[in-house]
Amino acid sequence: MGGGFRMDVVLRCALGFAICFLSVRDWAQTTSAMAAAPEKIIIDTDIGDDVDDAFALALAVKSPELQVLGVMTTFGDTETRAKLTDRFLGEVGRAEIPVLSGKATATKNPMSQRRYAEGGHFARAAHADAVEFLLEQIRKYPGEITLIAIGPLMNVGAAIDKDAATFRKLKRVVLMGGSIRRGYGDLGYTAPVPPMPEWNILNDVASAQKLFVAGVPLFVLPLDSTQLKMDEVKRAFLFSQGTAVTDQLAVLYHLWGQETPTLFDPMTIVFVLRPDLCPVQGMHIRVDDKGFTREEPGAANAQVCLESNAEDFFRFYLRRVAER
């Protein structure tokens, strides 16, 4: 009887160990699967003016860590911007990514890369409404979507107006926008340039004000950390790679018609992939009626990156986008 009791204890212990082992293994597999699951993102862009939007989209499609649910166009001639995006995605083999058009707005700003869109390559017959798409995707994936805002905030403001409760179910918004302590042209080695209204904020101040009080987790990458100059050595390296992505960037760069691009917008994608490259701090930011993003006392309503290292940024960016 004593021996049988001991055997029962051994068997129970062995069974318990096996269950424990399986639980640990299953937990590890689940954790690994979660870590490997790509992050769902939606990009809201004014692609077609400055060329940095295209450089941001290039990094997104080259990053397996990201699932691009859609690309929304904003500001000005949004339909032509959508056709430009159609072509870019088609040329690089990512035509399955939905492209949505925001409401067109009046602007005198020329679209430097318009000719790229007007050829009709890969253009879709129509584009669904960006705001409806955004809200629909949030309802489908509550708490899972990162909205990457790299243009004026018309679509964002319209989504908040239409359904603020759903908008708050975003995982977060990563915004290229604002000027907290440094203005345009302050690269950190010249005389200080005071903060000023930044393009994406200035072109829809009311929507920016709504975003900063919307109650959604907000990560802000202002001029302070995004004035990243892509010099001729880096351009020559990237454009000589001869891949589908780098060839499209070369075409759009030459249509842009200027010399040294500033990669403001790609920092948003880099931040999602490598947040250590643009460390953030909690701040209370108020958007005033002139488009200034004012740093004020109070509870933090945004996590803001005020410093980045250009060499670290480009080392990551160029390696990733140049990959075959």
Side-chain angles (χ1 to χ4, degrees):
M1 181 177 177
F5 173 78
R6 286 193 296 273
M7 182 59 69
D8 183 59
V9 172
V10 170
L11 288 172
R12 289 184 181 180
C13 288
L15 180 60
F17 176 79
I19 292 172
C20 182
F21 173 77
L22 288 172
S23 298
V24 170
R25 184 185 66 184
D26 292 345
W27 175 83
Q29 290 175 342
T30 301
T31 302
S32 177
M34 290 175 63
E39 175 149 8
K40 295 176 176 65
I41 68 168
I42 294 174
I43 300 172
D44 189 36
T45 174
D46 60 341
I47 192 168
D49 294 331
D50 202 345
V51 77
D52 59 326
D53 295 75
F55 280 84
L57 184 56
L59 179 59
V61 300
K62 290 289 289 185
S63 297
E65 305 96 323
L66 304 178
Q67 179 185 356
V68 185
L69 297 178
V71 180
M72 311 189 308
T73 60
T74 184
F75 184 63
D77 186 352
T78 52
E79 185 61 22
T80 297
R81 297 190 198 281
K83 290 177 180 178
L84 190 159
T85 307
D86 287 341
R87 179 175 178 184
F88 182 91
L89 293 174
E91 297 280 8
V92 305
R94 296 299 305 274
E96 83 283 0
I97 296 174
V99 177
L100 304 309
S101 180
K103 184 178 179 180
T105 61
T107 175
K108 296 180 180 180
N109 197 56
M111 190 180 297
S112 65
Q113 299 139 70
R114 180 179 292 275
R115 286 172 51 203
Y116 184 89
E118 291 176 340
H121 304 288
F122 299 100
R124 306 172 203 208
H127 299 90
D129 180 73
V131 173
E132 289 292 343
F133 172 83
L134 174 61
L135 295 172
E136 176 186 279
Q137 293 298 303
I138 299 170
R139 294 183 191 111
K140 185 176 180 180
Y141 303 110
E144 296 184 43
I145 297 174
T146 293
L147 174 62
I148 298 177
I150 56 175
L153 296 166
M154 288 79 177
N155 290 332
V156 170
I160 294 170
D161 287 342
K162 191 173 186 67
D163 191 342
T166 293
F167 186 84
R168 282 193 294 272
K169 294 179 182 177
L170 282 165
K171 176 181 178 180
R172 59 180 171 173
V173 175
V174 177
L175 167 69
M176 190 279 120
S179 169
I180 310 302
R181 299 175 185 173
R182 292 160 57 184
Y184 284 107
D186 188 341
L187 305 180
Y189 48 77
T190 60
V193 177
M196 58 187 66
E198 179 273 330
W199 175 263
N200 290 340
I201 304 295
L202 182 61
N203 277 283
D204 193 343
V205 171
S207 289
Q209 291 171 331
K210 293 170 189 174
L211 175 60
F212 275 82
V213 298
V216 68
L218 179 59
F219 294 80
V220 179
L221 313 181
L223 297 181
D224 307 66
S225 56
T226 59
Q227 299 190 69
L228 302 153
K229 298 291 184 180
M230 191 177 193
D231 62 34
E232 59 182 331
V233 174
K234 296 177 179 67
R235 297 196 303 271
F237 164 76
L238 192 66
F239 297 158
S240 68
Q241 297 307 301
T243 71
V245 169
T246 60
D247 284 352
Q248 298 312 302
L249 289 178
V251 170
L252 290 168
Y253 166 78
H254 288 293
L255 286 172
W256 177 59
Q258 300 181 48
E259 184 176 2
T260 304
T262 305
L263 300 196
F264 303 99
D265 292 339
M267 180 55 94
T268 58
I269 309 295
V270 169
F271 176 79
V272 173
L273 297 165
R274 287 282 308 275
D276 59 299
L277 295 181
C278 207
V280 295
Q281 57 183 287
M283 301 179 70
H284 184 86
I285 303 297
R286 179 179 63 87
V287 180
D288 73 13
D289 291 339
K290 294 183 179 180
F292 284 86
T293 41
R294 305 287 190 186
E295 174 186 1
E296 295 183 343
N301 61 350
Q303 298 293 317
V304 183
C305 176
L306 294 177
E307 294 285 344
S308 65
N309 183 289
E311 284 307 310
D312 290 343
F313 166 86
F314 279 111
R315 189 176 294 112
F316 176 80
Y317 181 89
L318 292 173
R319 284 178 177 172
R320 174 61 62 88
V321 176
E323 286 177 355
R324 294 183 177 273

